[in-house]
């Protein structure tokens, strides 16, 4: 059957620019004419083959190909005789299967293409087994990697930086919080000190023992026989000490000796003398007027603290030890005595407690002395009572009762240059130590040492006025705290005590710590918390514990602990309120118990600066030094003695101009985890990030096909239902 030329409407070809001129060459046309293949089985007998070849080489695939709605459907014959299948012509399940098969051929993952190209079932089963083994190994390794990451381990890097370190803030306090001459005018303090004196007396009486015989001492041929009295256990057995006493002196006989009246309070300084007092026998002898005693240095002292200014002949040089002592004017009688130590007042030691009989029994019980017999514990309790009593006053009143700035700080230099005491020192009122003064308090001004060593740090001379100390002040000297500018000093916890009569050197080294927050660590990031009671200062662990304790006391007792700042304007616990004091003491002991029900959770700050300190001291001032404190009009030797009793010299400096930096970092972070994860993926299955993208695209294609199929089926059902309705 003869057919006419092809209908051009049935084949709407589009030109292909790549092959448009492929057969324009005459040599190519001649090659085609010599082609002898028999196409009679495929084409009509009257088909012009050369014309068809030119058309096929000039145009690409026909528009009818891969179009389901066209009347003529064509499949392209491939070079190897196969057929390029149009997936849109397949059924839904066959199309899914075809996509999965194509993915096996094209994926970059190792092993999966072998499943699609397997020639038989045994070959395919072997590869399935190998893939399962690799998958199991990968899962085990992946679980181990994830567990390692979830441990959130961290490492600490330590670096030593040679750079200029900022100079810290230095807080200076007198060990005596309030002036004795001023504070006694307060009724509560007067009652507390009265009870304190009576309790101390009873504590001494409770340890007294009767002595059968008098005790004799021999000093340079003079025999001293102590009168038989009851023994008081406050002092070392059989030792002398200087003591103030009311005396009656008879100067007509020329002996210059006075008769002590230990139980009477002197009406004036003219009626006061100094006696050699023995606490073992309560004997006070000899007694001389105060101006007849002189602080000096003795070469030898015996076990009874009786000294000689010059050693006896024949004394070995190794036995000569210079000891501080006090001697009467003729130098025949000397007693070992630290010049900075307080002198005992005998009228207080033997004092009458009826003077303070106006205090009620409930008030006595509230003070908490109870049946205490240990003098150290009694002094500690008395200090606490004074803090409670002073909390009832305003801050301005407490400041006036403590030592003023210029009374404490007399001389100062930093980096070898004089300080401006008014500007460089800021007042901080501390409940325990009264007025404290902070050097380098301004956070906007950067101070640093030019060099290492004491000459390029802070050097300050302080006058404590030991004669105006409270009877509860156990030591004479200065409390020093080294801290960062942003931190509260906490002198009662982190301070160092420096004695008078010495130059105390504090060598510093700085450490900066940087901790990781959660999930690697447990620290406070912002440097403060919402309920932190030390407003204006950076967060610290000590401040957190005090905040926690204050919250507990306010919640349980209805009042605040006066040793710490209050919260929400809650009034401090009253010193003579028995319920307040008992509640406070009860919960103070509870919070310190290991198995207590209340625990404070306080984290470390994420960024912290720590100063480690080394301490050394030397006797100060030297005999050759002549420094005026502004009010000493005596001879240089006498002024030096006054400095030894009332003044202290401090040096605070960097030992080296370098500092340590301790920084925490993550030991196994997300980057290392992803690297290990990818390494195991590549090792066991040859999978990379691009391979994962291939799997994602496969899933998206399958979802798209499923959604499209269900939408098409829904439309067909709707059309069928509509046709049935008609």
């Amino acid at each position: 059957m003869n057919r006419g030329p092809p209908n051009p409407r049935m084949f709407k070809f589009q030109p292909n620019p790549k092959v448009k001129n492929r057969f324009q060459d005459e040599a190519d046309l001649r090659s085609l004419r010599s082609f002898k293949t028999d196409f009679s089985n495929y084409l009509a007998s009257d088909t012009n083959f050369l014309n068809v070849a030119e058309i096929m080489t000039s145009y690409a695939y026909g528009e009818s190909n891969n179009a389901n709605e066209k009347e003529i459907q064509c499949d392209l014959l491939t070079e190897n005789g196969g057929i390029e299948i149009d997936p849109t012509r397949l059924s839904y399940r066959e199309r899914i299967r075809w996509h999965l098969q194509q993915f096996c051929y094209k994926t970059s993952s190792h092993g999966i293409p072998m499943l699609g190209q397997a020639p038989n079932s045994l070959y395919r089963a072997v590869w399935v087994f190998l893939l399962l083994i690799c998958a199991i190994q990968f899962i085990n390794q992946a679980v181990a990697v994830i567990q390692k990451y979830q441990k959130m381990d961290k490492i600490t890097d330590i670096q030593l930086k040679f750079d200029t370190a900022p100079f810290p803030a230095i807080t200076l306090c007198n060990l005596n919080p309030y002036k004795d001459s001023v504070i006694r005018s307060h009724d509560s303090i007067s009652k507390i000190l009265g009870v304190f004196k009576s309790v101390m007396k009873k504590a001494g009486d409770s340890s007294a023992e009767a002595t059968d015989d008098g005790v004799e001492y021999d000093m340079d041929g003079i025999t001293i026989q102590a009168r038989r009295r009851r023994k008081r256990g406050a002092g070392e057995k059989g030792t002398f000490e200087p003591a103030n006493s009311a005396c009656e002196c008879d100067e007509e006989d020329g002996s210059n000796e006075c008769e002590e009246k230990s139980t009477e309070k002197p009406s004036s300084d003219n009626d006061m003398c100094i006696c050699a007092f023995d606490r073992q026998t309560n004997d006070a002898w000899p007694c001389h007027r105060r101006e007849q005693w002189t602080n000096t240095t003795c070469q030898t002292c015996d076990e009874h603290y009786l000294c000689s200014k010059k050693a006896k002949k024949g004394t070995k040089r190794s036995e000569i030890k210079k000891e501080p002592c006090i001697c009467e004017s003729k130098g025949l009688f000397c007693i070992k005595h630290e010049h900075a130590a307080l002198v005992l007042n005998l009228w207080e030691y033997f004092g009458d407690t009826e003077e303070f009989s106006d205090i009620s029994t409930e008030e006595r019980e509230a003070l908490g002395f109870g049946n205490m017999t240990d003098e150290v514990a009694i002094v500690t309790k008395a200090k606490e009572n004074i803090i409670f009593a002073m909390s009832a006053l305003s801050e301005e009143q407490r400041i006036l009762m403590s030592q003023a700035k210029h009374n404490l700080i007399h001389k100062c230099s930093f980096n070898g240059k004089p300080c401006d005491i008014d500007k460089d020192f800021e007042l901080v009122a501390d409940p325990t130590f009264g007025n404290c003064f902070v050097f380098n308090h301004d956070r906007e001004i950067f101070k640093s040492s030019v060099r290492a060593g004491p000459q390029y740090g802070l050097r300050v001379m302080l006058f404590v006025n030991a004669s105006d100390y409270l009877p509860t002040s156990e030591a004479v000297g200065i409390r020093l705290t080294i801290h960062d500018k942003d931190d509260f000093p906490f002198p009662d916890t982190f301070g160092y005590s420096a004695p008078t009569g010495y130059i105390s050197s504090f060598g510093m080294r700085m450490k900066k710590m940087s901790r990781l927050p959660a999930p690697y660590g447990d620290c406070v990031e912002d440097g403060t918390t919402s309920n932190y009671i030390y407003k204006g200062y950076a967060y610290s662990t000590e401040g957190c514990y005090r905040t926690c304790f204050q919250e507990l006391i306010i919640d349980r007792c209805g009042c605040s602990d006066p040793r710490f700042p209050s919260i929400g304007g809650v009034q401090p616990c009253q010193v003579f309120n028995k319920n307040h004091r008992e509640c406070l003491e009860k919960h103070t002991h509870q919070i310190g118990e290991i198995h207590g029900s209340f625990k404070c959770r306080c984290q470390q700050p994420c960024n912290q600066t720590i100063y480690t300190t080394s301490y050394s001291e030397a006797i100060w001032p030297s005999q050759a030094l002549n420094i005026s404190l502004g009010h000493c009009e005596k001879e240089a030797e006498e002024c030096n003695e006054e400095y030894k009793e009332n003044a202290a010299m401090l040096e605070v400096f960097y030992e080296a101009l370098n500092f340590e930096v301790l920084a925490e970092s993550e030991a196994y972070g997300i980057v290392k985890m992803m690297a290990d994860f990818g390494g195991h993926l590549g090792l066991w299955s040859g999978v990379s990030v691009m391979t994962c993208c291939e799997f994602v695209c496969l899933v998206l294609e399958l979802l798209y096909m499923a959604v499209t199929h269900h939408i098409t089926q829904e439309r067909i059902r709707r059309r069928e239902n509509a046709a049935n309705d008609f």
Side-chain angles (χ1 to χ4, degrees):
M1 180 177 179
N2 296 331
R3 298 180 180 178
N7 187 355
R9 294 180 179 179
M10 297 182 62
F11 298 91
K12 296 180 181 180
F13 296 100
Q14 298 177 357
N16 188 351
K18 294 182 180 181
V19 295
K20 182 176 182 181
N21 299 323
R22 183 176 177 181
F23 294 103
Q24 299 299 321
D25 191 12
E26 290 296 330
D28 293 336
L29 293 175
R30 286 194 299 273
S31 176
L32 285 173
R33 292 189 182 97
S34 63
F35 193 68
K36 301 298 184 180
T37 303
D38 185 9
F39 292 98
S40 59
N41 295 330
Y42 307 102
L43 302 174
S45 59
D46 54 355
T47 300
N48 189 339
F49 174 73
L50 295 178
N51 190 20
V52 171
E54 290 181 2
I55 293 173
M56 295 299 293
T57 56
S58 301
Y59 297 91
Y61 296 101
E63 186 183 64
S64 61
N65 193 37
N66 297 335
N68 294 334
E69 70 277 5
K70 301 299 181 179
E71 297 179 359
I72 298 178
Q73 302 292 326
C74 299
D75 288 332
L76 181 63
L77 296 176
T78 60
E79 183 178 354
N80 59 0
I83 299 177
E84 185 176 309
I85 299 176
D86 181 11
T88 60
R89 296 168 53 193
L90 302 176
S91 63
Y92 173 68
R93 292 188 177 181
E94 291 177 346
R95 192 159 65 250
I96 295 293
R97 182 179 180 184
W98 181 84
H99 270 280
L100 292 176
Q101 191 175 30
Q102 291 297 313
F103 179 79
C104 291
Y105 292 148
K106 296 183 294 183
T107 182
S108 59
S109 176
H110 299 176
I112 295 180
M114 305 303 296
L115 296 178
Q117 300 173 9
N120 52 56
S121 300
L122 178 62
Y123 193 84
R124 184 178 292 108
V126 171
W127 276 102
V128 168
F129 177 75
L130 292 176
L131 287 174
L132 288 175
I133 294 297
C134 292
I136 292 172
Q137 289 296 326
F138 166 71
I139 291 173
N140 289 334
Q141 297 295 331
V143 170
V145 168
I146 294 174
Q147 289 177 347
K148 184 178 180 180
Y149 174 74
Q150 290 178 342
K151 290 181 180 179
M152 299 300 174
D153 291 333
K154 56 188 177 182
I155 57 177
T156 302
D157 300 324
I158 302 177
Q159 296 180 354
L160 184 62
K161 289 192 175 182
F162 293 86
D163 198 358
T164 302
F167 200 81
I170 309 297
T171 299
L172 303 172
C173 311
N174 193 336
L175 289 180
N176 181 62
Y178 303 103
K179 294 180 288 186
D180 183 72
S181 59
V182 178
I183 198 174
R184 288 183 181 271
S185 61
H186 192 267
D187 293 337
S188 297
I189 300 297
S190 180
K191 291 180 180 180
I192 292 171
L193 293 179
V195 175
F196 166 71
K197 184 177 69 170
S198 66
V199 173
M200 288 290 284
K201 180 182 177 182
K202 290 179 180 178
D205 291 339
S206 65
S207 59
E209 295 178 359
T211 57
D212 294 332
D213 299 318
V215 182
E216 293 186 355
Y217 307 98
D218 180 74
M219 185 188 71
D220 293 339
I222 301 176
T223 302
I224 304 171
Q225 183 171 0
R227 294 189 297 271
R228 183 181 180 190
R229 293 189 182 179
R230 293 175 57 85
K231 174 184 174 182
R232 308 180 76 89
E236 183 179 348
K237 180 179 180 180
T239 59
F240 284 99
E241 62 178 299
N244 295 320
S245 175
C247 292
E248 185 175 308
C249 301
D250 186 8
E251 299 179 355
E252 294 180 357
D253 59 359
S255 62
N256 294 329
E257 289 191 13
C258 302
E259 182 180 354
E260 52 88 12
K261 297 181 179 180
S262 56
T263 59
E264 297 181 10
K265 185 175 182 180
S267 58
S268 65
D269 291 342
N270 295 329
D271 297 333
M272 188 185 302
C273 63
I274 295 180
C275 303
F277 180 64
D278 179 16
R279 297 193 187 214
Q280 176 184 354
T281 61
N282 291 339
D283 185 74
W285 185 89
C287 298
H288 299 278
R289 292 191 180 276
R290 297 183 65 181
E291 59 269 16
Q292 294 179 359
W293 291 89
T294 305
N295 286 322
T296 184
T297 303
C298 295
Q299 292 186 350
T300 59
C301 294
D302 62 13
E303 67 275 11
H304 304 298
Y305 288 3
L306 296 175
C307 306
S308 297
K309 295 182 68 174
K310 293 184 179 181
K312 297 179 180 180
K313 293 182 179 181
T315 305
K316 298 180 180 179
R317 287 184 174 271
S318 59
E319 297 178 355
I320 298 177
K321 297 180 181 179
K322 291 186 178 181
E323 299 280 359
C325 61
I326 183 171
C327 298
E328 53 88 23
S329 58
K330 295 181 181 180
L332 298 177
F333 192 89
C334 299
I335 312 170
K336 184 179 179 180
H337 173 61
E338 291 289 342
H339 301 158
L342 296 178
V343 179
L344 178 68
N345 295 325
L346 292 183
W347 63 89
E348 293 180 354
Y349 188 79
F350 298 109
D352 186 6
T353 60
E354 297 300 322
E355 180 182 350
F356 303 95
S357 59
D358 57 338
I359 186 171
S360 65
T361 304
E362 183 179 356
E363 290 176 336
R364 283 178 176 271
E365 294 176 354
L367 294 179
F369 290 111
N371 296 320
M372 288 186 179
T373 57
D374 186 277
E375 287 86 346
V376 175
I378 293 172
V379 172
T380 303
K381 196 65 178 180
K383 290 181 178 180
E384 178 184 306
N385 290 327
I386 291 176
I387 295 175
F388 276 74
M390 295 302 293
S391 66
L393 303 179
S394 64
E395 184 174 346
E396 291 75 14
Q397 290 176 307
R398 295 197 300 270
I399 291 174
L400 292 175
M401 290 184 176
S402 188
Q403 195 169 10
K405 181 188 297 185
H406 283 277
N407 289 338
L408 178 66
I409 305 170
H410 283 255
K411 310 287 183 181
C412 173
S413 70
F414 179 72
N415 270 336
K417 298 180 181 179
C419 302
D420 187 338
I421 296 178
D422 290 323
K423 295 181 179 179
D424 292 341
F425 289 88
E426 182 183 48
L427 172 65
V428 174
D430 185 79
T432 304
F433 294 101
N435 290 350
C436 297
F437 303 96
V438 184
F439 174 78
N440 192 24
H441 60 89
D442 194 339
R443 301 177 186 177
E444 303 297 328
I445 299 177
F446 180 84
K447 289 183 181 292
S448 62
S449 296
V450 178
R451 296 180 185 177
Q455 301 300 324
Y456 299 96
L458 175 67
R459 304 184 77 244
V460 58
M461 186 170 66
L462 306 128
F463 187 81
V464 300
N465 192 13
S467 62
D468 207 10
Y469 265 39
L470 290 171
T472 56
S473 296
E474 299 171 283
V476 179
I478 297 295
R479 189 73 170 180
L480 177 142
T481 310
I482 303 172
H483 57 97
D484 194 68
K485 288 183 180 181
D486 297 328
D487 296 338
F488 189 81
F490 302 113
D492 56 330
T493 303
F494 303 119
Y496 302 91
S497 295
T500 56
Y502 290 88
I503 180 169
S504 301
S505 299
F506 296 88
M508 302 182 300
R509 287 187 178 272
M510 186 181 75
K511 290 183 180 180
K512 282 192 172 183
M513 301 191 66
S514 177
R515 301 180 179 90
L516 287 177
Y520 294 96
D522 187 17
C523 64
V524 178
E525 292 187 70
D526 299 332
T528 185
T529 55
S530 59
N531 59 343
Y532 195 65
I533 59 178
Y534 293 94
K535 304 298 181 183
Y537 293 95
Y539 171 89
S540 66
T541 307
E542 178 65 22
C544 173
Y545 278 114
R546 298 190 182 198
T547 301
C548 175
F549 179 75
Q550 189 70 289
E551 291 177 342
L552 170 69
I553 296 303
I554 292 175
D555 179 64
R556 305 287 175 84
C557 303
C559 59
S560 62
D561 191 330
R563 290 167 290 190
F564 313 132
S566 184
I567 300 175
V570 178
Q571 293 298 317
C573 299
Q574 298 177 11
V575 62
F576 294 118
N577 189 315
K578 184 179 178 181
N579 295 330
H580 286 179
R581 299 300 299 276
E582 289 180 350
C583 178
L584 179 60
E585 186 172 359
K586 172 185 175 183
H587 290 94
T588 300
H589 291 302
Q590 284 183 352
I591 201 171
E593 293 178 357
I594 298 177
H595 304 290
S597 59
F598 185 85
K599 296 295 181 183
C600 293
R601 182 179 180 273
C602 290
Q603 308 100 307
Q604 295 284 348
C606 290
N607 297 297
Q608 186 178 15
T609 303
I610 300 174
Y611 296 93
T612 58
T613 306
S614 60
Y615 172 74
S616 62
E617 64 181 17
I619 295 176
W620 177 91
S622 67
Q623 295 296 329
L625 186 64
N626 184 14
I627 297 179
S628 173
L629 290 176
H631 66 276
C632 183
E633 299 177 354
K634 303 176 183 178
E635 296 294 331
E637 184 177 351
E638 295 180 356
C639 287
N640 282 351
E641 292 296 331
E642 184 175 351
Y643 300 158
K644 289 181 180 180
E645 294 180 8
N646 297 280
M649 188 73 183
L650 303 182
E651 296 177 334
V652 185
F653 57 92
Y654 275 115
E655 293 180 336
L657 291 182
N658 56 52
F659 58 94
E660 288 184 347
V661 177
L662 289 78
E664 291 182 351
S665 59
E666 55 185 17
Y668 194 74
I670 187 69
V671 176
K672 293 183 179 180
M673 186 194 73
M674 294 301 297
D676 290 348
F677 201 82
H680 290 299
L681 274 174
L683 175 65
W684 298 107
S685 57
V687 174
S688 64
V689 175
M690 299 306 297
T691 307
C692 295
C693 295
E694 293 175 4
F695 280 93
V696 172
C697 290
L698 173 64
V699 173
L700 294 177
E701 288 178 358
L702 295 177
L703 290 175
Y704 174 76
M705 292 169 57
V707 172
T708 304
H709 172 72
H710 287 294
I711 292 175
T712 303
Q713 294 297 320
E714 183 65 23
R715 290 177 179 175
I716 293 174
R717 283 195 296 270
R718 290 180 181 177
R719 284 198 294 268
E720 290 178 353
N721 293 335
N724 293 333
D725 293 340
F726 287 105

